[in-house]
Amino acid sequence: MKIKFFQLIDWTMLLCVLFLSATGIFFIYSSAVNQQGVLVTKEYSKQIVWVCLGLVLLIAAAIYDYRNFERYISIVFGVLIILLILTRIFGKTINGSKSWLGIGDFGIQPAEFGKIVYILFLAWYFHKTEETSQRKRFFGALGITFFTMLLILIQPDLGTASVYIPIFFFMCFAAGIPLRYILGCLAFGSLTVLLAILPVWQDQIAGHTYALLSILTVKKIRVLFTVGFGAIALVGLLGMIFFRHNKYYYWITFASAIIFGALVCSLGVTKVLKPYQIQRLIIFLDPYTDKQGAGWNIIQSKTAIGAGGFFGKGFLRGTQSHLRFLPEQSTDFIFSILSEEAGFLGGFTVFFLYFILMGRMILIIRRVTNHYGYYAASGILGLFFFHFMVNVGMVMGVMPITGIPLLFLSYGGSSMWTAMVCVGIMMSINYRHFAFMHQD
């Protein structure tokens, strides 16, 4: 099929990408200028190279027929698993995490590029199992997701691993998985995290002992409740077997199994994550309880955003970044710098561009007729939505600090190329929809 370039490119999406990437370069440059006006890093020049190469990857992904991925994505996914294992063994340790694989200054972050592979593989799985029962499809997809995330969590890279969760839920919803499975899984995960963080919250943030939390902090009481809910789940299961037409047993088993599983798994979370690591995740609830430590980032970020006002202080006139008060300011907290120097107006512009970009993705999802493309596009939308919501929420102090970059704006080649390729795949899906319709 002959490629018609001007029809291939979604110009609305491309303009959003170009504007966001250019904005990112400007504020990465600003983040590198100190109080004396001296440029202390050359990150902005590297970002320019990564943006240019990323645009090449975007065009290449758009030109390539995404339907061909189905032929070999299972092999590519196998390679990803091997790379994640090698990264844990031989990876370079940066900020306490073995998430980079490479030689010298050159390296890649397999977990970052793995998001694309995971989306395309899960889309393949859902497409190939459309005639299978929804229960088997769901638990198969859950197993794939859990295993992939586990390999990333042991690096450990909690931020990157967390991105796989919304992708999974978005794609499950697109695949027609019953809501009770999706909501049950979401409730189990949320409750597990909640049960794991409540004791730390009580000790290090609330500063007050609550009798109700003795269920989690007193070993004997916790064991009693765990065994109790496990027994209820077992009784409910037996009721389901002997009284098949009674739905009450189903819901009793469903609810009690979620609570039992969360009580057990939350212990595993507390074994993997130390109390100080959990504190970093929940410090946004009251950053002033450790304002010189875990709460420092949030306090300085909120100060920068508030200082910007409506129009901002002006480009290169911010104080928080130039005084080096914001750690990881060119990556995780790039939106803080933008808000201080460009104000509410600049922040709103970024919001608007993301709204347009994701709006176009939704339109593509609604019109695509190929099931594989439909699943893949839904996963890409989940990726962009989560990155945007969590990063912006993080710098505003309403979400945990997880180290998730703001796509196209944050400094970094891996995240830039991942985002560019994803947009290219969306364009390929959009273009092949029209080609498919014309052939009919």
Side-chain angles (χ1 to χ4, degrees):
M1 182 181 68
K2 185 177 180 181
I3 300 293
K4 297 179 180 178
F5 186 77
F6 284 95
Q7 290 183 12
L8 171 71
I9 301 300
D10 187 311
W11 296 100
T12 302
M13 292 180 72
L14 182 61
L15 287 173
C16 289
V17 168
L18 289 173
F19 195 91
L20 288 169
S21 300
T23 302
I25 291 169
F26 276 108
F27 287 100
I28 288 170
Y29 177 89
S30 178
S31 73
V33 177
N34 63 17
Q35 189 179 12
Q36 289 73 38
V38 178
L39 194 66
V40 295
T41 72
K42 292 291 184 68
E43 288 180 339
Y44 79 96
S45 59
K46 292 181 180 179
Q47 189 76 353
I48 292 172
V49 174
W50 288 332
V51 169
C52 292
L53 290 175
L55 289 170
V56 173
L57 292 174
L58 185 153
I59 300 299
I63 291 173
Y64 188 76
D65 190 337
Y66 74 94
R67 291 170 292 191
N68 292 328
F69 285 123
E70 277 198 280
R71 300 176 186 175
Y72 52 81
I73 192 60
S74 56
I75 299 173
V76 176
F77 185 74
V79 173
L80 169 65
I81 297 301
I82 294 171
L83 286 176
L84 290 175
I85 294 171
L86 291 176
T87 302
R88 180 62 185 91
I89 300 171
F90 303 108
K92 293 187 290 185
T93 303
I94 299 176
N95 294 329
S97 175
K98 278 191 175 183
S99 56
W100 291 86
L101 195 63
I103 301 173
D105 293 332
F106 177 77
I108 61 169
Q109 195 173 3
E112 189 68 40
F113 294 111
K115 297 171 189 175
I116 305 172
V117 178
Y118 167 75
I119 289 171
L120 295 174
F121 180 74
L122 200 59
W124 169 84
Y125 170 81
F126 278 132
H127 192 202
K128 293 299 181 183
T129 58
E130 288 181 336
E131 302 301 322
T132 309
S133 71
Q134 294 289 33
R135 181 182 298 177
K136 289 182 179 179
R137 292 179 84 202
F138 174 74
F139 283 105
L142 183 63
I144 293 167
T145 306
F146 177 78
F147 181 66
T148 308
M149 287 181 60
L150 183 63
L151 293 177
I152 300 170
L153 285 170
I154 61 175
Q155 293 180 357
D157 190 349
L158 179 62
T160 303
S162 66
V163 180
Y164 286 71
I165 298 173
I167 294 173
F168 168 73
F169 284 125
F170 269 66
M171 294 183 72
C172 281
F173 183 79
I177 299 295
L179 275 178
R180 65 179 182 274
Y181 294 147
I182 298 174
L183 294 178
C185 186
L186 184 61
F188 167 74
S190 301
L191 187 59
T192 298
V193 173
L194 183 65
L195 294 177
I197 67 174
L198 277 176
V200 179
W201 170 80
Q202 176 181 255
D203 294 340
Q204 301 188 23
I205 294 181
H208 179 74
T209 301
Y210 294 90
L212 184 62
L213 293 186
S214 62
I215 296 171
L216 304 175
T217 55
V218 178
K219 186 176 180 180
K220 290 183 178 179
I221 298 177
R222 183 174 188 131
V223 170
L224 182 63
F225 269 84
T226 303
V227 172
F229 278 106
I232 294 171
L234 181 60
V235 171
L237 183 61
L238 292 173
M240 288 173 59
I241 294 172
F242 292 107
F243 304 97
R244 294 179 181 273
H245 300 291
N246 195 324
K247 292 185 179 180
Y248 291 110
Y249 288 106
Y250 173 84
W251 291 109
I252 289 171
T253 306
F254 187 79
S256 56
I258 288 175
I259 299 173
F260 170 75
L263 283 166
V264 173
C265 292
S266 61
L267 281 177
V269 173
T270 56
K271 296 294 182 182
V272 174
L273 297 178
K274 304 299 182 185
Y276 77 89
Q277 292 175 314
I278 296 176
Q279 185 193 20
R280 290 176 183 174
L281 294 176
I282 62 175
I283 194 66
F284 73 96
L285 297 171
D286 187 2
Y288 288 94
T289 56
D290 188 14
K291 59 184 179 181
Q292 296 298 324
W296 173 265
N297 296 1
I298 296 175
I299 293 170
Q300 299 307 320
S301 177
K302 291 170 71 174
T303 301
I305 293 172
F310 190 83
F311 294 105
K313 293 183 176 180
F315 185 61
L316 299 179
R317 294 183 178 179
T319 54
Q320 297 299 106
S321 61
H322 297 162
L323 291 172
R324 323 309 289 177
F325 285 157
L326 284 170
E328 310 295 339
Q329 55 190 26
S330 64
T331 52
D332 300 345
F333 291 91
I334 192 70
F335 189 79
S336 305
I337 299 173
L338 182 147
S339 297
E340 183 180 23
E341 298 187 359
F344 172 82
L345 193 61
F348 177 79
T349 302
V350 170
F351 269 70
F352 180 73
L353 289 171
Y354 264 99
F355 177 79
I356 296 298
L357 185 64
M358 288 188 284
R360 289 294 298 170
M361 291 181 181
I362 293 172
L363 288 176
I364 292 171
I365 291 169
R366 291 185 63 183
R367 67 165 60 125
V368 67
T369 54
N370 182 286
H371 287 194
Y372 179 65
Y374 174 69
Y375 300 142
S378 299
I380 291 172
L381 175 63
L383 184 151
F384 274 84
F385 177 79
F386 187 75
H387 267 271
F388 176 71
M389 292 298 294
V390 172
N391 181 273
V392 172
M394 177 182 75
V395 301
M396 289 182 174
V398 296
M399 283 191 176
I401 294 180
T402 52
I404 293 177
L406 185 56
L407 298 177
F408 300 120
L409 276 84
S410 293
Y411 170 76
S414 296
S415 61
M416 175 63 70
W417 291 348
T418 298
M420 289 285 191
V421 170
C422 283
V423 172
I425 293 172
M426 291 295 291
M427 291 184 184
S428 177
I429 292 170
N430 189 38
Y431 179 73
R432 268 75 196 185
H433 160 75
F434 287 119
F436 181 77
M437 295 298 288
H438 290 328
Q439 286 173 359
D440 286 348

